[in-house]
Amino acid sequence: MQIDEAFAKLNLVQDFIPPGNSNRPGRRMAPSFITIHNTDNDGHNANAAAHARYQKGADARARQVSWHFTVDDKAVFQSVPTNEVAFHAGSAQGNASSIGVEICMHPEMDVTVAYERAALLVAVIAKRAEIAVPGGVVQHHHWSGKHCPRVLRDRPGGWQQFLDAVAQVHGSLQEVDAPDIEVHDDGHDHGSGETVWTPDRTVTAKRGLRLRAGPGTDFDTLTILAFGAKVKEVGRSGDWAMVQIDPGEGSDGFLHVAFLDPV
């Protein structure tokens, strides 16, 4: 199966949590694992779209809970980019190194189709992110000891059957069959344009400023930036700026705006 065919089958909908929300820290991640969950929500119509909507609401922000993908028998909803941390694993190590995939369990769902879609999604993610299969595909239980994904754990041989399905699809995935082309210089400027990283804030705290994992003093300190350090603001959550401390996508953490001045 070609990658483009796989994406078409996934029916992927990107419905991201807004940047700056407390459950989307914006910290960059180079994932080495994919963590599988069940939603533990067997209520009527608790489908992928409903769980994507939930992650943008007040309860998810208050609980600081989030994950990257939700899967059901109809579609896949993506809530967080795969190069950003989400709060799903129940451990700092799991959150910092893995992409979270939640599989729905509402009564209206065609279970067989949903798990086929989930296996396809995991195979595609692993292919794109160069994550080992099956070694890099783990249960939520791996990180926190929680009985999750409980549907797969309760089904005799369920977890191994899921891994086998992922491995089978992963082994069959191929890049799009496309011809090589030669790009001609037609006089148009295709340069880097505005993608150059330019810092726009400088640290004014004389003793340095703590870079936090989230927008508040209750979040872990990631590092301390020295007086005069320059950063780029990419978002705002109240009195906290979401910043990059070097070029890249996403953000590296949060700084209090009281100790930042324009460059």
Side-chain angles (χ1 to χ4, degrees):
M1 181 189 307
Q2 291 188 166
I3 286 287
D4 57 335
E5 296 172 328
F7 272 106
K9 286 187 175 183
L10 287 175
N11 190 20
L12 178 64
V13 180
Q14 291 184 321
D15 189 17
F16 291 133
I17 300 168
N21 278 17
S22 59
N23 58 337
R24 183 181 171 185
R27 297 204 306 274
R28 281 176 287 173
M29 173 182 67
S32 51
F33 295 93
I34 301 170
T35 302
I36 308 301
H37 308 256
N38 280 125
T39 58
D40 275 343
N41 188 344
D42 55 6
H44 289 288
N45 299 315
N47 58 17
H51 282 88
R53 185 182 307 117
Y54 165 78
Q55 290 184 77
K56 296 188 290 185
D59 185 68
R61 294 197 301 271
R63 295 173 57 206
Q64 292 183 357
V65 60
S66 55
W67 55 91
H68 297 83
F69 298 94
T70 315
V71 188
D72 63 19
D73 57 337
K74 300 294 192 300
V76 175
F77 277 74
Q78 183 178 6
S79 299
V80 180
T82 56
N83 65 347
E84 288 186 21
V85 167
F87 298 141
H88 60 93
S91 79
Q93 181 183 2
N95 290 337
S97 63
S98 74
I99 295 168
V101 174
E102 292 270 1
I103 306 173
C104 291
M105 45 191 296
H106 55 292
E108 300 86 2
M109 186 177 78
D110 185 324
V111 175
T112 299
V113 173
Y115 279 87
E116 288 174 351
R117 190 183 305 277
L120 177 60
L121 172 66
V122 173
V124 169
I125 296 171
K127 197 76 168 181
R128 277 291 182 245
E130 298 183 345
I131 295 173
V133 173
V137 183
V138 299
Q139 303 177 27
H140 184 185
H141 179 271
H142 172 83
W143 302 112
S144 67
K146 182 178 179 180
H147 184 55
C148 178
R150 64 182 173 96
V151 173
L152 289 173
R153 289 174 61 82
D154 288 345
R155 183 187 303 163
W159 177 246
Q160 188 59 52
Q161 291 169 8
F162 181 74
L163 289 181
D164 291 345
V166 172
Q168 183 176 1
V169 177
H170 184 266
S172 71
L173 286 175
Q174 301 175 359
E175 293 298 330
V176 176
D177 185 15
D180 294 329
I181 62 171
E182 180 180 352
V183 178
H184 299 283
D185 183 2
D186 55 5
H188 293 295
D189 182 6
H190 298 290
S192 58
E194 298 181 356
T195 61
V196 176
W197 186 80
T198 305
D200 55 10
R201 297 287 183 270
T202 187
V203 173
T204 60
K206 297 296 184 182
R207 297 184 178 179
L209 184 59
R210 294 177 186 270
L211 180 74
R212 299 278 185 177
T217 56
D218 53 333
F219 288 89
D220 291 341
T221 298
L222 302 175
T223 189
I224 298 178
L225 301 184
F227 172 77
K230 292 179 173 55
V231 300
K232 181 177 179 63
E233 182 175 343
V234 295
R236 185 71 68 94
S237 178
D239 291 332
W240 293 83
M242 180 190 294
V243 301
Q244 293 177 341
I245 60 176
D246 52 27
E249 297 181 9
S251 75
D252 295 301
F254 290 79
L255 298 171
H256 199 283
V257 297
F259 301 98
L260 294 175
D261 277 352
V263 170

